[in-house]
């Protein structure tokens, strides 16, 4: 009998050891990393354990005090867990002063603990050093008067104090970066647009954020000049559709009109996004001087932000906004750089055909499209009036013309202001200490 009992005990012990050895630890990963905790900072944790997690908890620790900010528990599994192969679990919660009232600005630790959902229930603990920032940064704008045209550009100077990582101008859904003000680095400036697709009653704001999500914003004096954008009918011929479709998307499937509409919608959006993304390829200095140049002797065929109704066989089949100016002269004329800058893009781009983009610094860029040939390459420094290539009708163009546009931090704006030396002096240079005329 004793032997039997002893044998059973050994068996149980053996089983226990095996169950114990089969246990797995939990990988605890923060995505994204948390370095700063504020009033109520969102935290996303990924827990990876093939046996699953029985309990997860998060706490904040500061000056010897500790507060649990989040707990999640799951039904325990002690046996048969080795058959499981659980997918990683994502846990979302908030940590900050709202969860731990005694929390003060300064250093603290975020502690994450997970218990494996198996026989052993192994605990894994991760402690992260964080900075507590509960006071939002503060921001104050200049005292200038800001006259803004809908679809146009403007510049604002402001000061930010406190702990912040992002500051600039917000206009509706758009944000514009800021840079240290040349000549007075205690201040910052933003070149911004009042985008054509933002409602006219939108109030532009200067803002600053910290990584904990605290945000401060301030108004500044401004007056918006509304701009009624034009509507134009564009009649589509089969010859035009065929030219566009065969050139831009020769392998596409479907009917002629269907293929054209895909290019005009989907591809137009992707091409505009590709242009917008070039905002990051900029130099933090002003490369340009004086007014930008309009293609000499050119006839204006289309204005910035014209809405185009596409008519095919007497019916409206599409509507898109044309971002840019269409300038025509004669065929194959040299296309000249509108101002000094650096070539950041020189290749085919869908509806824009052969396209060149020049960066002028501080995220101000000029765009030249439908070129017959490109004569520059990315990285080339160009001077005002230097040829970039020759005009043509590549991409979605019915005839030889230059499609010219400008963008401010990735948002296309009307180039008319930038062609105007007086506007540049009054609206831009007058606010920059180093360039004040
Ligand atoms: Zn155009």
């Amino acid at each position: 009998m004793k032997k039997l009992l002893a044998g059973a005990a050994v068996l149980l012990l053996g089983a226990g050891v095996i169950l114990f050895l089969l246990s797995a630890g939990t990988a605890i990963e923060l995505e994204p990393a948390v370095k700063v905790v504020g009033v109520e900072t969102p935290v996303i944790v990924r827990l990876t354990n093939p046996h699953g997690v029985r309990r997860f908890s998060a706490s904040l620790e500061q000056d010897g005090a500790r507060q649990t900010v989040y707990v999640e528990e799951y039904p325990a599994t002690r046996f048969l867990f080795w058959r499981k192969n659980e997918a990683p679990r994502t846990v979302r919660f908030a940590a900050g002063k709202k969860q731990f009232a005694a929390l003060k600005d300064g250093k603290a630790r975020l502690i994450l603990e997970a218990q494996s959902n198996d026989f052993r229930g192994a605990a894994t603990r991760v402690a992260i050093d964080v900075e507590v920032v509960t006071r939002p940064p503060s921001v104050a704008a200049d005292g200038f008067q800001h006259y803004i045209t809908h679809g146009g550009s403007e510049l604002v100077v402001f000061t930010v104090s406190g702990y912040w990582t992002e500051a600039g101008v917000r206009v509706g859904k758009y944000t514009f970066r800021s840079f240290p003000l040349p000549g007075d680095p205690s201040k910052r400036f933003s070149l911004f647009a009042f985008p054509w697709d933002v409602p006219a009653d939108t109030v532009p704001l200067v803002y600053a954020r910290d990584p904990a999500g605290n945000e401060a914003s301030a108004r500044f004096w401004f007056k918006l000049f509304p701009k009624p954008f034009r509507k134009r009918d564009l009649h589509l011929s089969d010859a035009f559709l065929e030219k566009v479709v065969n050139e831009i998307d020769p392998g596409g499937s479907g009917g002629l009109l269907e293929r054209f509409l895909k290019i005009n919608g989907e591809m137009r959006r992707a091409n505009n996004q590709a242009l917008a993304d070039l905002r990051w390829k900029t130099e933090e200095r002003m490369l340009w001087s004086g007014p930008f140049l309009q293609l000499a002797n050119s006839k204006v065929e289309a204005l910035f932000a014209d809405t185009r109704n596409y008519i095919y066989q007497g019916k409206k089949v599409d509507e898109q906004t044309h971002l840019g100016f269409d300038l025509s002269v004669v065929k194959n004329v040299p296309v000249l750089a509108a101002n000094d800058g650096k070539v950041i893009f020189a290749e085919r781009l869908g509806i824009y055909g052969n396209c060149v983009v020049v960066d002028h610094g501080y995220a101000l860029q000029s765009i030249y499209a439908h070129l017959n040939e490109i004569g520059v390459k990315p990285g080339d420094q160009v001077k005002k009036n230097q040829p970039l290539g020759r005009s043509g009708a590549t991409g979605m163009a019915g005839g030889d013309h230059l499609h010219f546009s400008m963008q401010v931090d990735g948002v296309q704006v009307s180039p008319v202001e930038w062609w105007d030396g007086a506007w540049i002096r009054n609206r831009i240079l007058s606010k920059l200490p180093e360039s004040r005329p």
Side-chain angles (χ1 to χ4, degrees), residues 368-422:
Y368 313 76
H370 307 313
L371 306 189
N372 190 25
E373 52 182 69
I374 294 176
V376 288
K377 57 182 189 315
D380 286 357
Q381 301 282 346
V382 290
K383 287 279 172 204
K384 197 188 283 195
N385 263 326
Q386 186 179 323
L388 304 172
R390 287 186 169 270
S391 72
T394 55
M396 194 179 287
D400 190 303
H401 74 276
L402 171 67
H403 172 101
F404 179 73
S405 185
M406 291 189 62
Q407 63 182 12
V408 168
D409 213 4
V411 176
Q412 293 199 41
V413 294
S414 170
V416 176
E417 295 171 333
W418 296 98
W419 286 334
D420 179 351

Side-chain angles (χ1 to χ4, degrees), residues 69-149:
V69 297
Y70 187 77
V71 180
E72 216 173 284
E73 279 172 331
Y74 313 94
T77 316
R78 289 195 171 78
F79 302 99
L80 297 175
F81 56 80
W82 55 85
R83 289 197 193 156
K84 294 201 286 185
N85 190 14
E86 285 205 11
R89 189 188 295 273
T90 300
V91 181
R92 290 160 203 272
F93 60 94
K97 198 168 170 62
K98 200 163 175 185
Q99 287 75 25
F100 186 12
L103 206 60
K104 295 183 295 288
D105 284 24
K107 305 242 170 281
R109 291 209 302 170
L110 174 65
I111 296 157
L112 308 171
E113 288 167 299
Q115 195 182 5
S116 177
N117 202 0
D118 50 30
F119 182 78
R120 182 180 165 201
T124 310
R125 185 175 186 273
V126 171
I128 299 136
D129 290 319
V130 292
E131 187 76 27
V132 179
V133 183
T134 56
R135 280 191 297 270
S138 67
V139 61
D142 62 27
F144 296 115
Q145 293 185 324
H146 300 274
Y147 293 96
I148 315 172
T149 302

Side-chain angles (χ1 to χ4, degrees), residues 233-238 241 257 309-318:
D233 284 351
L234 202 134
H235 292 269
L236 301 169
S237 66
D238 281 335
L241 295 190
L257 181 64
N309 293 320
Y310 292 82
I311 315 287
Y312 182 63
Q313 295 175 346
K315 272 194 305 215
K316 179 175 165 179
V317 292
D318 203 3

